[in-house]
Amino acid sequence: MWGGRFSMSPAEVMQEINASIAFDKALAPQDIRASKAHASMLAAQGIIPKDDARKITAGLDRILEEIAAGRFRFSRALEDVHMHVESRLEELIGEPARRLHTARSRNDQVVTDFKLYVRDWIDAADPALAALQLTLARKAQAHYDTIMPGFTHLQSAQPVTFGHHLLAYVEMLARDRGRFADARARLNECPLGAAALAGTSFAIDRHATCAALGFDRPTANSLDSVADRDFALETLAAAAITALHLSRLAEEIVVWVTPQFGFVRLSDEFTTGSSIMPQKRNPDAAELVRAKAGRITAAFQALAMVMKGLPLAYSKDMQEDKEATFDALASLRLVLAAMTGMVEDLTPNPEAMRRAAAAGNSTATDLADWLVRVQGVPFREAHHIVGRIVAVAERRGVLLSELPLSDMQAVSPRISEAVYPLLSVESSVGSRTSFGGTAPQNVRKMARTWIKRLEKASEKG
């Protein structure tokens, strides 16, 4: 492809390290889409004959059909997807194919293809993220008043509801969707026409190719156009944060299904057995969701390291941008589907959850709040009083709700029988009515709000 400048073929190891077709063939649909837009613009500007543009378009359509049908032959000898398409086009239509590369370079060609790929992925991923949100919100609605322990430091803290816990992940995923939407908005500038790095002397119409490919505007600087991989970095950063959120939920599922917790159960569809221990039911799907977070986060780090020291404009280092990105984005789509299936599949055990919520004197804060609200005790003093009462309960091996009033009054005479109803987990969660709190009425309202919003967006979809 570089013609007369070279008199020798590349060494075998050079071909091995240089070829990218094994992974960048995934860009074929985007490459053909961009090439058709480019050919149409060249013809409209009188740069190539309109008849040639028609032949180019027809040939590109045929190539796309061949790829879709699995009849297209890929060879490492042609290095990358761009040269495969161009070579096959010449086989199909002859000389007009040689005019396609007028006023463009592989530098602006590949970044355009890559942007289209990432944009297509974001557009397909958003409904998958929304589907997981909807599954979580529906499960939350069904369990708006199912009591479970809330944890800090993985120690029992205060009772919450299972629905409230699930809605926390709905909020996380909403932020994830926002990050992808922001990344999409910033990437939606078309680099085609920047050529190798300096633009072109041909009278091209970059706004026409931009519009044909659905971009908002052409990129404004030819150097930045071919040097930029921020769009991939930003999308990978959003993917990494999403994967971390999914990993946190996966970790909780792994803990919850243990016999020691027994909070939820997964069916045979999302568990596996053991080759030696007949009793085992392993949450492998959740464990793999958890593990793939490392793979996805590593892709962001890998691309950041590729880009950190590159001078403007294009360097071959940037060929390393795609393989890890493709893998990370494919992995994220897979774990989204797996997590959606698991959330829909899991069956809570309300009795085990409530029993755990009541353990560990998780309503101690309610007693301190009562001293503040009813007796006017400063909170720090109330905190100290209740801490001493908890110590007494622990020495006696009973819960606060089981501790005799005389023992409480020995610490603080202000305490009366009125505190006992407040020490139940039901009373505790019911009292948390502040906006965003775990009170069942709040949870039911918020779950309904999310369900309505997500279903409405899906219908518009």
Side-chain angles (χ1 to χ4, degrees), residues 143-152 155-166 263 350-369 399-401 420-434 436-443:
H143 294 278
Y144 74 96
D145 60 350
T146 299
I147 295 172
M148 69 175 290
F151 298 99
T152 61
Q155 304 293 312
S156 290
Q158 293 177 313
V160 296
T161 69
F162 187 51
H164 192 58
H165 195 110
L166 295 178
F263 286 3
E351 294 77 16
M353 286 184 174
R354 191 200 177 284
R355 190 165 53 249
N361 293 312
S362 63
T363 58
T365 306
D366 297 274
L367 178 54
D369 288 347
L399 298 176
L400 280 177
S401 59
Y420 283 98
L422 305 178
L423 299 180
S424 73
V425 290
E426 288 79 10
S427 175
S428 179
V429 298
S431 70
R432 298 305 195 268
T433 55
S434 59
T438 191
Q441 65 195 60
N442 288 12
V443 176

Side-chain angles (χ1 to χ4, degrees), residues 288-365:
L288 288 166
V289 168
R290 185 176 59 186
K292 285 186 184 293
R295 184 173 185 157
I296 294 165
T297 333
F300 169 79
Q301 182 69 13
L303 182 53
M305 292 302 98
V306 167
M307 299 302 298
K308 71 174 181 63
L310 296 188
L312 296 180
Y314 180 84
S315 298
K316 193 69 171 184
D317 310 49
M318 292 160 74
Q319 182 169 290
E320 290 294 310
D321 59 0
K322 287 174 282 298
E323 190 170 13
T325 301
F326 293 164
D327 179 80
L329 297 183
S331 294
L332 184 56
R333 284 295 303 275
L334 178 61
V335 297
L336 277 170
M339 185 57 75
T340 302
M342 273 189 290
V343 171
E344 192 167 15
D345 180 75
L346 64 82
T347 303
N349 183 343
E351 294 77 16
M353 286 184 174
R354 191 200 177 284
R355 190 165 53 249
N361 293 312
S362 63
T363 58
T365 306

Side-chain angles (χ1 to χ4, degrees), residues 149-189:
F151 298 99
T152 61
H153 309 277
L154 204 55
Q155 304 293 312
S156 290
Q158 293 177 313
V160 296
T161 69
F162 187 51
H164 192 58
H165 195 110
L166 295 178
L167 287 176
Y169 287 98
V170 176
E171 296 291 335
M172 292 184 207
L173 290 163
R175 296 193 295 274
D176 294 329
R177 292 178 68 192
R179 276 182 279 271
F180 284 121
D182 290 345
R184 190 193 192 285
R186 267 183 290 279
L187 75 76
N188 211 33
E189 296 182 344

Side-chain angles (χ1 to χ4, degrees), residues 70-89:
R71 298 193 307 269
F72 192 90
R73 292 180 59 190
F74 292 100
S75 166
R76 198 183 290 174
L78 287 173
E79 188 179 317
D80 61 28
V81 68
H82 320 295
M83 295 313 301
H84 275 79
V85 171
E86 191 172 324
S87 176
R88 178 59 178 151
L89 186 63

Side-chain angles (χ1 to χ4, degrees), residues 174-323:
R175 296 193 295 274
D176 294 329
R177 292 178 68 192
R179 276 182 279 271
F180 284 121
D182 290 345
R184 190 193 192 285
R186 267 183 290 279
L187 75 76
N188 211 33
E189 296 182 344
C190 183
L192 196 58
L197 76 163
T200 178
S201 59
F202 289 96
I204 61 172
D205 183 353
R206 292 191 64 204
H207 289 85
T209 48
C210 172
L213 294 171
F215 288 103
D216 293 333
R217 64 193 69 83
T219 50
N221 182 285
S222 60
L223 287 167
D224 179 56
S225 299
V226 298
D228 170 44
R229 292 300 184 272
D230 288 0
F231 64 93
L233 282 166
E234 189 170 2
T235 302
L236 286 173
I241 295 171
T242 303
L244 293 179
H245 289 157
L246 298 178
S247 180
R248 295 180 74 177
L249 178 53
E251 167 67 9
E252 294 196 308
I253 291 173
V254 169
V255 171
W256 291 344
V257 299
T258 61
Q260 292 78 7
F261 273 72
F263 286 3
V264 301
R265 180 180 174 84
L266 287 171
S267 76
D268 295 352
E269 292 188 84
F270 287 94
T271 55
T272 64
S274 164
S275 64
I276 189 173
M277 294 168 284
Q279 83 282 8
K280 291 295 294 297
R281 181 188 291 274
N282 300 321
D284 283 7
E287 291 170 355
L288 288 166
V289 168
R290 185 176 59 186
K292 285 186 184 293
R295 184 173 185 157
I296 294 165
T297 333
F300 169 79
Q301 182 69 13
L303 182 53
M305 292 302 98
V306 167
M307 299 302 298
K308 71 174 181 63
L310 296 188
L312 296 180
Y314 180 84
S315 298
K316 193 69 171 184
D317 310 49
M318 292 160 74
Q319 182 169 290
E320 290 294 310
D321 59 0
K322 287 174 282 298
E323 190 170 13

Side-chain angles (χ1 to χ4, degrees), residues 88-101:
R88 178 59 178 151
L89 186 63
E90 186 170 351
E91 290 176 357
L92 292 172
I93 67 170
E95 185 177 337
R98 298 183 181 185
R99 295 193 171 91
L100 175 59
H101 208 54

Side-chain angles (χ1 to χ4, degrees), residues 20-101:
S20 60
I21 189 58
F23 53 85
D24 73 14
K25 61 185 178 183
L27 293 175
Q30 289 78 19
D31 190 70
I32 289 170
R33 195 191 321 169
S35 291
K36 288 168 67 176
H38 184 66
S40 178
M41 179 276 296
L42 291 176
Q45 293 298 106
I47 297 171
I48 67 172
K50 290 183 178 180
D51 187 57
D52 283 359
R54 283 192 291 270
K55 291 176 181 176
I56 288 170
T57 298
L60 290 170
D61 285 338
R62 180 171 170 184
I63 293 170
L64 188 60
E65 291 172 3
E66 290 177 351
I67 292 172
R71 298 193 307 269
F72 192 90
R73 292 180 59 190
F74 292 100
S75 166
R76 198 183 290 174
L78 287 173
E79 188 179 317
D80 61 28
V81 68
H82 320 295
M83 295 313 301
H84 275 79
V85 171
E86 191 172 324
S87 176
R88 178 59 178 151
L89 186 63
E90 186 170 351
E91 290 176 357
L92 292 172
I93 67 170
E95 185 177 337
R98 298 183 181 185
R99 295 193 171 91
L100 175 59
H101 208 54

